[in-house]
Each structure stands twice: as C-alpha cells, then as structure tokens.
Amino acid sequence: MIRRLAPILGITFIDILGFSLLIPLLPYYVLHFHQTPIIVGVLFALFSFCQLVSGPVWGNLSDRIGRKGVLVISQIGATIGWAMLGWAPSIMWVFIARCIEGCSGGNIGVTQAYVADLVAPKERARAFGYISATFAAGMACGPAMGAVLSAYGFAVPLYTAAGLQLITLIVTLIVLPESRTRLDKADVVGPAEILRTFKNKALTTKLWQKLALSLALYGWFGVMAIYFARQLHFGLRETYIFMIYISIINVFVNGVVLGRVSDRIGNRAMSTFGIAALVCAFAFVPFVTTAWQLAVMAGFFSIGMAFGNTGLIALISAASEDSVQGTVLSVTSSLDSFAGIVSPPLSTGMLGVLGSPWSAASSLLFSVVAFVMGIQNGKRDAVGTASSEAVPATD
C-alpha cells in the first residue's frame, strides 16, 4: 500500500512542511505591519473561511475532471499566494495573499479522495492514517525549519514555503499518476451533488458527528499555546518542543498503530474508543500542573484524535459512492474549516473569563456530544446491517 501511496504522501509532506512554516511566524509578521493582535485572529479565520467555501467546489470538480488536474490548479494558486505573502508591502496584500492561499488550500478532501481511489474501502482507515502521519511529520519539521530561517528575516521562510509549493506542483505534474479512469458522461456528478450530500441519510448523522468532533479539536488547537503559557508558564521554546513531541506521537499512532486497530475492531469501534480518549484528555486539562502530567494528557489526546477523527473519516468515505468521493470528503473537510472559525473564540473566551483550567471546557462538551452521537450511530448502523441481512434473497 505504501508504494502505491508514496507519491501523494511525498507531495503532502512537502505541502505541509511549507504550510507549517507560517503558523508560528504569522503573528509576528502581522505585528511587523504595526497591526493589533486581533488582526492575527482575523487572518486565521479568513483562511478557514476561504477553505470552507472552496473545499466542496474543488472536491466536486475533482469528481468531474479528475484529482490530478484539481491538485495542479490549487498548487499553482498556493504558490502564487505564498510568494505574494513574502513580497507583501502592506497588510492589505497580506489579506489578499491569505485569501488566495485559503481558496487554493481547500484541497484536503481531494487528497483524501485520491487516496480513497487507490485502496479498497476496508483499507481506507489505514491509508488515511498514513496521510495523517505524513501531516504530523510535516508539522513537526516545519516549525524547526522556520526557527532557523526566520533568523534571516520574515521574507526568507515565506519564499521558502513558496518554493516548496512549487516543488509539489512539479512533482504532481511529472510523477503523480491520475487516480481514477475517466467516468462515463452519465456518471459525472454536477455541483448540485454538494447539497445532496446533506440529504443523504447514511451520511448526515456521520457528518453531524464529524462537526461535533471538529469543534472539540479546533477549540483545543486555538487555545493550546495560551494554555501552556498560563497553566505551566511555557515560553515559545518549550511550546515548540512540546508541539514536536505531540507530532511525533501522532506519526507513530497514525502510521503504525491505527491500521492494526482498525483491522481488529473496525472503524466504528475505533472511532468511538478514540473520542472516549479525547473526553478523558479534555477532562484532565484542569488538573495538569507538571510537564509529565501534560505529557500523559497529550498522549490521550493524540491517540484520541488519530482513532476518532481518522476512523470517522473512513466511515464517511465507506458510506459514499465512488463517483462522489471528492465531493463528500471535501464537504467533510469544510466542517473542519467551519470549526476553525467558530470554535477558537469559544475556547479562548473561556480561558480569558474563567482562567486556564477552563481552557478545554468547550472541547470537552463537544467531544462528549460526539461520543454520544457515535454510540447512537453505531446502534443505527448495526440495526441497518441486521435489517439488510434479514431480507430474503430473490430470484
């Protein structure tokens, strides 16, 4: 399987490597233009909003013209956006560059659909785990590279990110094969399929659960660094080190453990178990007072995110027809973008009003909701399976 996925895994790693250069750098870059910290939040929200809007469009287009063509188009836009960000003479150009990056970066669902094209449904959880492991590896290496490059000014890491994006474009054009044969005209889906995704009863319950889970995860992503500073008095160096630690755990869990667990207990049980681990992690947040306790909590979080999120994406993919994988998985990815807009203000607001022990309160609530929905969906799926097996065969 890894041999089949090697080209898309390599492209994903380079892509995330460039993207992760920006995450620690953007707040300082915005302040360089004499802007207030709130502009940083607006820029992050703008990026997520553009992904929210563009993701389903890219996914639907990939169902119609193929995955490779859409990846090429989005990579061209991302290369332009990164280069503009490095060149930006004013904050207005930063906003324009982030819009271009956000619209071009809404191709996560297309990447997942590409992977789904290459593997059988029963192997998709393992394959999605490899994608998540590659993502985590890029997130671990990118900040370390950014810490070195930022010593030479803001433009150098940003132009480096543009160069890395250009490499992904070249590799995609030369190395990456198309993942699917051209569909018959009758099988090609139109843009209306984006709306039909929410009318599919087999999908809607899973999509609602995915939204609850995304709200839990992105609430924690938004407040995590501030929590480290307030609760444990971490500086930037300690935060970098700990984020690398979390990324290493994610690489191991997604790349080595997840596939074995999926094969043994199935995606539904794995996802429910993972969300339960997230509930435990978020419930433990108020009681963390040492780095060792934080390491234990982060272990539960990493396992929970891998099993819960990847298992649920595999369930959504399995419930979708092959002809609409791009559309459905891009709609699913857009739920992450929506959560990235809505959830961080909730978690940071709780921290600001009630203190750092309450940082994960909203994430705990949403993860409990996702867990309950997972139990209900599991029972519903079991009843549906039993009903289908009880239908007598006809000649």
Side-chain angles (χ1 to χ4, degrees):
M1 179 190 294
I2 293 182
R3 182 177 297 178
R4 277 179 288 162
L5 298 179
I8 193 66
L9 292 177
I11 290 169
T12 300
F13 176 76
I14 299 171
D15 189 12
I16 297 303
L17 190 64
F19 172 78
S20 61
L21 287 173
L22 175 69
I23 294 176
L25 184 67
L26 184 61
Y28 299 96
Y29 189 52
V30 172
L31 295 177
H32 163 73
F33 290 101
H34 307 291
Q35 301 296 314
T36 61
I38 194 172
I39 299 298
V40 178
V42 171
L43 283 168
F44 274 112
L46 177 65
F47 181 83
S48 295
F49 176 78
C50 291
Q51 284 189 319
L52 171 68
V53 174
S54 66
V57 177
W58 287 127
N60 184 256
L61 188 62
S62 77
D63 287 333
R64 300 163 67 188
I65 70 171
R67 318 292 186 211
K68 181 174 179 177
V70 171
L71 288 173
V72 167
I73 295 170
S74 64
Q75 287 163 354
I76 291 173
T79 302
I80 294 172
W82 281 115
M84 284 181 61
L85 194 62
W87 164 83
S90 67
I91 193 66
M92 181 190 72
W93 286 101
V94 174
F95 272 90
I96 295 173
R98 290 296 282 167
C99 285
I100 295 174
E101 293 165 31
C103 291
S104 302
N107 61 4
I108 298 173
V110 178
T111 302
Q112 293 172 335
Y114 185 97
V115 170
D117 292 339
L118 298 181
V119 300
K122 66 179 181 180
E123 297 178 312
R124 284 176 187 167
R126 185 187 295 269
F128 291 152
Y130 289 147
I131 288 290
S132 297
T134 303
F135 189 98
M139 292 298 292
C141 297
M145 182 186 296
V148 174
L149 295 176
S150 60
Y152 301 96
F154 291 116
V156 172
L158 294 173
Y159 282 132
T160 300
L164 290 170
Q165 193 64 241
L166 181 61
I167 291 173
T168 67
L169 173 61
I170 295 171
V171 173
T172 300
L173 286 169
I174 297 176
V175 177
L176 192 72
E178 180 55 75
S179 63
R180 65 212 296 261
T181 57
R182 185 173 294 276
L183 297 175
D184 294 333
K185 189 172 182 180
D187 295 328
V188 177
V189 297
E193 193 63 39
I194 297 173
L195 297 178
R196 292 194 192 101
T197 300
F198 295 98
K199 298 179 181 180
N200 185 330
K201 292 183 179 180
L203 285 173
T204 49
T205 54
K206 297 178 179 65
L207 290 174
W208 280 114
Q209 186 188 5
K210 179 64 171 70
L211 176 59
L213 179 58
S214 296
L215 289 168
L217 293 174
Y218 279 81
W220 179 241
F221 294 153
V223 79
M224 184 169 57
I226 305 175
Y227 169 81
F228 292 162
R230 296 281 184 88
Q231 187 83 352
L232 294 165
H233 309 292
F234 278 11
L236 183 59
R237 178 176 176 274
E238 290 82 5
T239 300
Y240 266 135
I241 292 172
F242 202 80
M243 290 182 71
I244 292 172
Y245 162 75
I246 294 173
S247 296
I248 291 172
I249 295 178
N250 285 337
V251 170
F252 177 76
V253 174
N254 280 290
V256 179
V257 180
L258 186 143
R260 292 177 170 84
V261 174
S262 174
D263 292 341
R264 179 163 299 219
I265 66 176
N267 293 327
R268 170 56 68 189
M270 180 179 71
S271 177
T272 302
F273 175 81
I275 297 172
L278 285 175
V279 172
C280 293
F282 293 137
F284 190 56
V285 164
F287 308 103
V288 172
T289 57
T290 67
W292 286 109
Q293 291 174 332
L294 183 62
V296 173
M297 188 277 289
F300 274 91
F301 174 78
S302 297
I303 293 171
M305 182 173 65
F307 288 179
N309 195 52
T310 306
L312 188 50
I313 292 173
L315 288 170
I316 291 171
S317 176
S320 309
E321 297 178 6
D322 290 342
S323 62
V324 294
Q325 285 287 320
T327 301
V328 171
L329 290 173
S330 293
V331 168
T332 304
S333 176
S334 289
L335 298 178
D336 288 336
S337 300
F338 177 80
I341 298 171
V342 172
S343 208
L346 293 176
S347 57
T348 54
M350 294 290 287
L351 180 146
V353 174
L354 300 175
S356 60
W358 292 86
S359 299
S362 61
S363 293
L364 176 60
L365 174 62
F366 287 125
S367 62
V368 169
V369 171
F371 177 77
V372 172
M373 293 180 71
I375 297 296
Q376 294 175 339
N377 290 343
K379 292 179 180 179
R380 189 179 294 109
D381 292 345
V383 170
T385 302
S387 299
S388 63
E389 291 176 351
V391 175
T394 56
D395 295 332

